Amino acid sequence: SQQGEEDPQALSIQEGENATMNCSYKTSINNLQWYRQNSGRGLVHLILIRSNEREKHSGRLRVTLDTSKKSSSLLITASRAADTASYFCATDYSSFNYGGSQGNLIFGKGTKLSVKP
Amino acid sequence: DGGITQSPKYLFRKEGQNVTLSCEQNLNHDAMYWYRQDPGQGLRLIYYSQIVNDFQKGDIAEGYSVSREKKESFPLTVTSAQKNPTAFYLCATKLGQGGGTEAFFGQGTRLTVV
């Protein structure tokens, strides 16, 4: 399976600190997306960055994309206890080589973030 | 969630039983997906459907079946052929199958074999 891989698998920080999560993937993509999952719940879309973009911001979130290294990072600034969740990257492939269809999202295993008050 | 309803939230299955998980959406999205999530793992694609009366196998379709008779509904049946069905199942939708759009997820169904 051509999953993205997040790094680290788990991250524990104090409130107010920044949290950085990384994602690596394997082939050409249309876009890369980040999702958040609270324990036992569905995923919620956070941000989408297209293959021709290098950086994108949304509130306290900053996403970067380096297509030459096939990697992305998600930075959460000034973290809060409420940011505690698992974060997943999902790649949207640009070709029909994977899974038979463009548009299917391929998810990594996630980074489990714990923000301590 | 946001317009995607999965039911039930918890489901218990006996060995050898088929069970059906419901996914209903009111977002008028064409594409619908079923994912399986195991502890500490990412999401793996079971089946997807781009349009009514059409669906395709994902990575791990063996032991599962789906139907797409209505745009709003994409039920997943876990058959007795699925040897390790205990997992968290997530239904998702996208506006269209084409790339560049976000996915919306239901709240999931946790299936346990007893």
Side-chain angles (χ1 to χ4, degrees):
Chain A
S1 168
Q2 298 184 37
Q3 280 186 332
E5 292 289 336
E6 286 93 340
D7 168 56
Q9 291 185 355
L11 180 61
S12 182
I13 59 174
Q14 296 293 131
E15 236 178 358
E17 293 180 342
N18 295 344
T20 299
M21 289 158 267
N22 303 296
C23 170
S24 60
Y25 58 91
K26 296 180 181 177
T27 67
S28 297
I29 59 171
N30 273 327
N31 64 76
L32 186 143
Q33 303 179 28
W34 286 90
Y35 289 80
R36 165 192 170 128
Q37 183 182 35
N38 286 9
S39 182
R41 310 277 286 180
L43 277 71
V44 175
H45 180 263
L46 295 175
I47 197 166
L48 180 154
I49 186 165
R50 302 190 188 283
S51 59
N52 61 354
E53 297 176 310
R54 292 296 167 259
E55 188 169 310
K56 202 161 183 181
H57 297 254
S58 177
R60 293 184 296 114
L61 306 180
R62 183 175 78 107
V63 169
T64 62
L65 179 64
D66 186 336
T67 53
S68 66
K69 294 181 180 178
K70 294 186 173 55
S71 67
S72 173
S73 67
L74 171 67
L75 169 66
I76 304 173
T77 60
S79 63
R80 306 166 182 168
D83 294 329
T84 295
S86 292
Y87 292 82
F88 294 87
C89 69
T91 44
D92 190 340
Y93 284 87
S94 61
S95 73
F96 285 86
N97 290 335
Y98 178 79
S101 182
Q102 185 180 14
N104 285 349
L105 292 175
I106 310 303
F107 287 85
K109 294 184 179 181
T111 291
K112 193 167 186 177
L113 174 65
S114 174
V115 182
K116 299 179 181 178
Chain B
D1 45 10
I4 301 170
T5 302
Q6 287 189 243
S7 62
K9 188 170 182 179
Y10 298 96
L11 186 57
F12 297 89
R13 191 194 95 169
K14 293 181 180 178
E15 296 276 357
Q17 264 187 343
N18 291 357
V19 291
T20 297
L21 284 60
S22 171
C23 177
E24 301 281 331
Q25 55 113 348
N26 61 5
L27 300 172
N28 201 33
H29 285 176
D30 286 316
M32 296 187 74
Y33 306 81
W34 275 106
Y35 291 92
R36 169 180 171 141
Q37 186 177 29
D38 293 284
Q41 300 294 313
L43 280 64
R44 290 185 290 168
L45 183 63
I46 305 172
Y47 268 99
Y48 63 100
S49 169
Q50 302 178 37
I51 197 168
V52 174
N53 292 322
D54 184 63
F55 49 82
Q56 307 294 331
K57 292 181 179 180
D59 294 326
I60 55 166
E62 186 175 350
Y64 300 97
S65 66
V66 293
S67 63
R68 187 86 186 274
E69 296 177 1
K70 298 186 299 181
K71 188 174 186 178
E72 302 79 19
S73 179
F74 191 41
L76 173 74
T77 297
V78 184
T79 75
S80 57
Q82 171 49 241
K83 298 306 177 190
N84 184 22
T86 295
F88 190 50
Y89 290 87
L90 287 159
C91 176
T93 70
K94 288 176 70 180
L95 181 61
Q97 175 63 9
T101 57
E102 67 187 88
F104 294 81
F105 283 83
Q107 289 303 303
T109 292
R110 189 167 298 280
L111 174 63
T112 303
V113 173
V114 295

